[in-house]
Amino acid sequence: MAKTNMATTTDNKRDTIIEVKNVTKVFDGVTVVDDMNLAIKRGEFVTLLGPSGCGKTTLLRMIAGFETPTDGQIYVERTNVTEVPPYKRSINTVFQKYALFPHLNVYKNVAFGLKLKRIVVDAVDKQGKPILDKEGKQAKKTIKLTKQQIDDKVKYGLKMVGLDGYGGRDVSSLSGGQQQRVAIARALVCEPKVLLLDEPLGALDLKMRKEMQVELMRMHKELGITFVYVTHDQEEALTMSDTIVVIRDGVIQQVGTPKKIYDEPKNQYVADFIGESNILSGTMVADFRVQVEDKILPCSDKGFEKNEKVDLVIRPEDIEILPIEKAEVTALQGVVQISVFKGTYYEMEIKVGGYEFTVQNTVEQKIGSTVALKIDPNNIHIMKKDRVINEYKSEVIDEGVVEICGGNFECDTAGFEIGQEVIASFDFLATTLVDHEDNGTIGGFVANSLYKGKYYQVQVYTDDDQDIFVDTPDEWDIGDRIGITIKKDAIKLRLPDPQKDTHTGHPAEEAQSAPSSDEGEVAKQATNQPQDALAVSEDEI
Amino acid sequence: MKKRLFKFHRRSFTYPYLVVGLFFVVVPLLLILFYAFTNRQEQFSLSNLWEITSSKLTYKILADSILLAILTSLICLLIAYPLALLLSNAKFNRSKTIVLIFVIPMWVNFLLRTYALRELLSLFGVGIGYKAVLIGMVYDFFPFMLLPLYTTISSLDKSHMEAGCDLGASPIQNFFRVILPLSVPGIVSGVIMTFMPALSTFAINDLLGDARLYLFGNWINDYYSELWNFAGALAFVMLVFVALLMLGMGRLNRTENKASAL
């Protein structure tokens, strides 16, 4: 058993072309990439997906060699290239804004890399006999490509991207799509082991983008080169990739095939980012049984603690609508609020108890009618909650006053002395957000806002480097500066538990590195596991 | 009902400039033309031009002037280019004060600067002569070379350099294949801005030169007080020469696909 495992590991190793090991990048004190581990297999089309500023481009630039990691190593074919400059790496990049040389025409742009390329060949004398070195082995020499070779490759490259005959054109006379094609040809003719693409289609219009997506997939298939593609467009990622790496706040959230990521998102951020979804709060009352509102739904997950609070993800297209008479008594029942025609289906808002479900169906339901919702147990995806309560290391600074996240909050301090270190906790509903920072006890930025069926879960990043989770009926704009108040009665204090709280008492470290701090299963899996586990093996598809 | 004599348009703001341009550019040019093509009796005559173009001396003076101007531009370029490259790197020039250091001399009248330079040079044992004139010219026109170069190089798109590096160009190859070709517009501007004034200067030669060096500028300067017609013809010859040069430079610049030169 152990032997087979080892064999698989070596096989995987051989197959791995790029390995990112514990890579961290800090810019001016801001951690952009946080202890990332990733293995990319040879020949794969891998997409780094995440919102802007999540660190995906920085990771790509580190693989290309434009940035040096603050910490960690990058391997290409098991060689450590962390300190190797870009021009010595057999990796080429397609830049977001093309970066074509304006002083060269199309042909010369594509030939740029080829003119610099040196190849190693067997040395031969004038009669064509091989020259041997001192040890009697075949001597090698480094030569340039001949003009003919360059010409052949440039013409092949331009043909590959559908621009044959454009060689003499000025790059500024080309359209955006054509410029992008030249940039791709310029990188591909160098025959890199890995092609990096940094949001290459970002500047193109929708129609052009769709066309280029298909072209890129074709090229990937034809050439067999490993593609590493950066995008914030989840649809693009789902369409093109063999493997998607979802990144948020510099941390890998999930690695998997598009299908796996869509069907089994590891946490609410992945679920929210990929496709449309209903994210709800529920309770696991037993294995395969989850309670939402007052209904108990069958699901396909088990292994949670009894009555553990969980998040549910249900895709809008996975909800069936049944006439109320035909449904079982236990089914969810709701009233249709809104119905919008979206071309091939209707998107409806159906209110079930306090929750609003988004449902996509080809059959329209009358607004105001009561319907039953049927969800296949396999289509309910259960995820562990990131955090169920806000908990911070604090200090009692006066009678009835405790300092949390740099602010002084009133609360019941009976039984605690002034100056004592305590753990303060309060649930997500205890916090109120106010528009003006001055009206709150402390200020912060809205880092994330997620609709959970009947309320928004807002993550506020405080000036003290902490995250506070708030459940609120209102939507708050990400990036806004807001004030925070906490209800007096809601703050519970307890003494720090030396064993447990060295770990979780100060969520700051973890909240920053991994958004899922207390029960950061996902983040821990993504960052701490050996890199081989991250390369998606075939059986996971 | 009064009829308005003058209606105010946005265009009206240009009228003062029109007047200034007319009196200080067009009229002097016409005067030069008038004197160049007339004799003392204010009759049409080509004799001045003929005298200039047929004299061997003219070509010697012109050649000396051109040589000095070329040397000045070249030395300025060789000093300014690496400096501009260095200054455009944010690491070395965080607060842009270093650029200021090179520009501040421009705030002082250039005659005063040249006087000061003469004293400085004699302090270091460099007497008046060709060497001193050359140093003076480089010193006086250096900022005109540095500024366009600095502007062009610091506005170069970083992604082009990254692309070069990505495609296998070492830093040196990247310089010759990407940075240098892309900074040609700055070089052309800089050369024009130093070469043109260097070609027609006479004050620096007066202050730092000895009698052996006689420049085209000196020639015009020596005649304009007495023989206006001859000086006018000299100025005309220089004007035509400079115009041809500008045309050539402009073409060179256009082929480089940029149009930021002056």
Side-chain angles (χ1 to χ4, degrees):
Chain A
M1 187 64 193
K3 216 176 171 185
T4 25
N5 269 345
M6 254 173 65
T8 342
T9 319
T10 4
D11 274 348
N12 275 348
K13 271 250 158 78
R14 193 173 304 146
D15 232 348
T16 301
I17 189 155
I18 293 179
E19 210 176 309
V20 174
K21 267 191 179 171
N22 304 103
V23 164
T24 298
K25 179 74 190 177
V26 180
F27 284 118
D28 299 328
V30 180
T31 309
V32 184
V33 169
D34 196 348
D35 197 24
M36 271 195 195
N37 281 297
L38 182 69
I40 293 168
K41 281 182 165 189
R42 190 184 300 277
E44 261 190 321
F45 195 126
V46 178
T47 301
L48 309 180
L49 176 67
S52 53
C54 74
K56 55 189 190 306
T57 296
T58 308
L59 177 64
L60 193 85
R61 288 175 59 81
M62 286 193 286
I63 295 173
F66 299 127
E67 310 282 356
T68 316
T70 313
D71 208 359
Q73 297 89 39
I74 292 169
Y75 295 85
V76 174
E77 294 190 315
R78 279 179 295 161
T79 315
N80 188 345
V81 297
T82 315
E83 303 288 334
V84 175
Y87 62 93
K88 286 185 183 161
R89 297 190 189 192
S90 48
I91 292 175
N92 286 110
T93 310
V94 176
F95 294 88
Q96 189 173 9
K97 284 175 188 149
Y98 324 132
L100 296 178
F101 302 118
H103 60 292
L104 302 174
N105 63 18
V106 171
Y107 184 97
K108 285 179 177 168
N109 260 284
V110 178
F112 189 93
L114 295 170
K115 283 183 184 162
L116 295 161
K117 205 177 168 95
R118 300 288 178 272
I119 47 171
V120 178
V121 292
D122 292 349
V124 290
D125 59 18
K126 276 172 192 166
Q127 280 83 46
K129 283 182 191 160
I131 298 172
L132 301 182
D133 62 13
K134 283 172 195 164
E135 287 155 35
K137 285 183 192 158
Q138 170 68 54
K140 301 280 183 191
K141 63 173 183 179
T142 314
I143 55 160
K144 288 182 180 183
L145 293 174
T146 63
K147 266 201 168 149
Q148 188 57 49
Q149 281 170 318
I150 291 175
D151 190 58
D152 289 346
K153 282 177 196 286
V154 171
K155 287 196 172 133
Y156 173 76
L158 285 174
K159 205 171 169 189
M160 185 88 197
V161 297
L163 285 180
D164 34 350
Y166 280 72
R169 293 275 288 269
D170 213 22
V171 287
S172 55
S173 72
L174 301 182
S175 71
Q178 288 169 329
Q179 290 191 15
Q180 188 63 81
R181 283 161 195 265
V182 176
I184 292 167
R186 185 176 70 173
L188 282 177
V189 291
C190 298
E191 291 160 22
K193 286 179 180 140
V194 181
L195 184 70
L196 306 178
L197 301 108
D198 184 7
E199 306 222 15
L201 313 182
L204 304 180
D205 61 53
L206 186 68
K207 192 162 167 274
M208 199 70 210
R209 205 154 63 216
K210 298 267 177 215
E211 254 177 68
M212 284 304 289
Q213 284 177 11
V214 177
E215 292 257 324
L216 280 171
M217 283 155 73
R218 174 183 62 81
M219 285 179 221
H220 175 247
K221 229 178 180 177
E222 273 180 45
L223 298 166
I225 296 173
T226 313
F227 278 36
V228 182
Y229 191 95
V230 161
T231 185
H232 63 264
D233 183 340
Q234 45 103 4
E235 206 185 314
E236 206 165 276
L238 290 172
T239 315
M240 301 169 80
S241 332
D242 296 325
T243 302
I244 296 177
V245 181
V246 184
I247 301 174
R248 178 182 178 264
D249 285 351
V251 176
I252 294 174
Q253 302 290 317
Q254 188 173 6
V255 181
T257 60
K259 188 162 167 43
K260 193 175 167 74
I261 291 212
Y262 189 83
D263 289 342
E264 294 166 48
K266 271 199 174 145
N267 59 29
Q268 55 178 349
Y269 303 110
V270 178
D272 184 49
F273 198 69
I274 307 273
E276 281 186 64
S277 47
N278 296 290
I279 303 174
L280 318 166
S281 266
T283 312
M284 283 305 273
V285 290
D287 280 354
F288 307 117
R289 289 284 178 275
V290 62
Q291 184 177 352
V292 178
E293 291 277 87
D294 57 340
K295 302 279 182 190
I296 293 177
L297 305 173
C299 64
S300 60
D301 295 82
K302 59 165 183 165
F304 293 88
E305 278 170 42
K306 195 168 162 56
N307 290 330
E308 187 176 336
K309 297 264 186 210
V310 289
D311 283 323
L312 283 80
V313 175
I314 305 162
R315 299 290 179 184
E317 69 272 22
D318 288 338
I319 301 174
E320 268 184 75
I321 299 178
L322 294 174
I324 196 89
E325 319 83 65
K326 283 190 191 167
E328 295 163 37
V329 196
T330 53
L332 294 169
Q333 294 185 3
V335 181
V336 181
Q337 307 284 314
I338 305 167
S339 175
V340 179
F341 184 54
K342 293 258 180 170
T344 49
Y345 58 84
Y346 291 90
E347 189 167 291
M348 288 161 276
E349 295 284 326
I350 298 177
K351 197 159 189 179
V352 181
Y355 283 104
E356 268 172 22
F357 279 79
T358 305
V359 180
Q360 291 170 356
N361 203 298
T362 46
V363 183
E364 188 183 12
Q365 302 293 328
K366 262 199 189 122
I367 292 173
S369 61
T370 306
V371 291
L373 304 181
K374 193 184 163 199
I375 308 157
D376 188 290
N378 287 317
N379 287 332
I380 299 179
H381 181 64
I382 309 275
M383 302 177 303
K384 273 188 174 273
K385 271 198 186 287
D386 296 329
R387 190 193 281 194
V388 288
I389 197 155
N390 291 306
E391 217 171 47
Y392 307 93
K393 205 179 262 180
S394 339
E395 195 187 327
V396 179
I397 55 164
D398 206 347
E399 205 167 303
V401 182
V402 69
E403 190 198 337
I404 303 170
C405 302
N408 297 340
F409 290 90
E410 281 183 29
C411 81
D412 182 14
T413 58
F416 297 95
E417 290 164 26
I418 290 168
Q420 195 170 13
E421 277 206 352
V422 290
I423 300 293
S425 60
F426 49 95
D427 68 28
F428 296 173
L429 280 163
T431 313
T432 314
L433 301 180
V434 287
D435 271 324
H436 293 287
E437 193 185 342
D438 299 342
N439 297 341
T441 314
I442 52 172
F445 288 101
V446 177
N448 197 40
S449 173
L450 201 66
Y451 188 58
K452 288 204 152 184
K454 65 175 180 186
Y455 59 87
Y456 288 89
Q457 188 165 92
V458 175
Q459 187 185 334
V460 182
Y461 181 62
T462 69
D463 300 336
D464 209 29
D465 247 12
Q466 311 258 10
D467 283 304
I468 295 180
F469 282 62
V470 182
D471 286 348
T472 155
D474 309 312
E475 187 172 7
W476 295 82
D477 288 333
I478 293 172
D480 272 6
R481 183 87 194 161
I482 52 161
I484 301 163
T485 58
I486 306 171
K487 280 187 202 125
K488 190 181 166 185
D489 322 332
I491 302 174
K492 301 271 184 299
L493 303 181
R494 65 176 171 84
L495 288 172
D497 178 344
Q499 296 216 318
K500 209 176 142 210
D501 290 323
T502 44
H503 228 60
T504 55
H506 205 273
E509 293 97 349
E510 280 176 67
Q512 229 198 347
S513 62
S516 38
S517 57
D518 286 342
E519 301 161 30
E521 277 297 315
V522 178
K524 279 192 188 117
Q525 266 181 14
T527 52
N528 297 347
Q529 272 188 12
Q531 59 291 342
D532 288 323
L534 287 166
V536 175
S537 45
E538 294 302 312
D539 55 27
E540 277 187 273
I541 296 169
Chain B
M1 280 278 278
K2 251 189 185 174
K3 204 179 172 187
R4 284 174 81 180
L5 285 171
F6 182 76
K7 212 171 167 199
F8 204 79
H9 290 288
R10 234 167 91 180
R11 206 177 48 201
S12 311
F13 286 110
T14 63
Y15 295 155
Y17 300 99
L18 209 71
V19 173
V20 170
L22 204 70
F23 274 96
F24 295 99
V25 180
V26 180
V27 171
L29 278 175
L30 287 175
L31 281 174
I32 289 178
L33 273 181
F34 173 76
Y35 283 114
F37 288 97
T38 51
N39 58 18
R40 282 198 149 178
Q41 287 73 45
E42 295 188 356
Q43 287 160 334
F44 179 77
S45 149
L46 288 173
S47 62
N48 288 321
L49 280 172
W50 173 247
E51 200 182 318
I52 292 164
T53 48
S54 62
S55 156
K56 262 191 189 164
L57 188 70
T58 310
Y59 297 102
K60 193 200 171 291
I61 294 172
L62 203 57
D64 281 348
S65 300
I66 291 169
L67 183 71
L68 189 66
I70 288 175
L71 276 176
T72 305
S73 313
L74 204 68
I75 295 170
C76 281
L77 180 65
L78 289 179
I79 302 172
Y81 196 93
L83 181 69
L85 211 57
L86 208 68
L87 292 180
S88 63
N89 188 334
K91 249 190 248 165
F92 296 101
N93 188 26
R94 205 154 277 174
S95 57
K96 301 206 163 37
T97 37
I98 303 177
V99 179
L100 211 61
I101 288 175
F102 290 95
V103 176
I104 281 175
M106 282 175 82
W107 300 353
V108 178
N109 179 285
F110 105 107
L111 278 178
L112 295 179
R113 262 185 293 152
T114 314
Y115 270 119
L117 189 68
R118 189 168 67 178
E119 301 310 312
L120 271 175
L121 285 176
S122 71
L123 201 70
F124 289 109
V126 183
I128 53 168
Y130 198 84
K131 217 194 285 173
V133 174
L134 191 59
I135 293 173
M137 300 255 266
V138 169
Y139 172 70
D140 275 330
F141 299 128
F142 183 73
F144 297 103
M145 179 62 90
L146 181 68
L147 282 182
L149 279 177
Y150 170 71
T151 317
T152 309
I153 293 175
S154 53
S155 63
L156 286 185
D157 192 343
K158 254 211 157 109
S159 70
H160 290 135
M161 288 163 231
E162 283 188 349
C165 193
D166 186 73
L167 291 165
S170 66
I172 291 169
Q173 287 171 320
N174 215 2
F175 173 77
F176 284 107
R177 283 163 194 261
V178 181
I179 300 172
L180 194 62
L182 287 179
S183 51
V184 163
I187 297 174
V188 170
S189 308
V191 166
I192 288 175
M193 294 202 37
T194 46
F195 185 84
M196 297 306 165
L199 191 64
S200 57
T201 186
F202 62 90
I204 297 172
N205 191 24
D206 278 353
L207 293 174
L208 297 172
D210 51 20
R212 268 175 291 175
L213 185 65
Y214 195 67
L215 299 175
F216 215 90
N218 296 111
W219 203 10
I220 299 174
N221 186 39
D222 288 346
Y223 275 95
Y224 93 102
S225 44
E226 307 148 28
L227 292 166
W228 283 46
N229 303 90
F230 191 69
L234 280 174
F236 177 73
V237 167
M238 168 146 268
L239 206 67
V240 169
F241 188 75
V242 168
L244 286 175
L245 226 75
M246 288 286 273
L247 225 66
M249 291 289 248
R251 184 153 302 164
L252 178 73
N253 211 19
R254 215 169 308 124
T255 50
E256 291 298 339
N257 202 7
K258 292 272 160 182
S260 68
L262 287 158

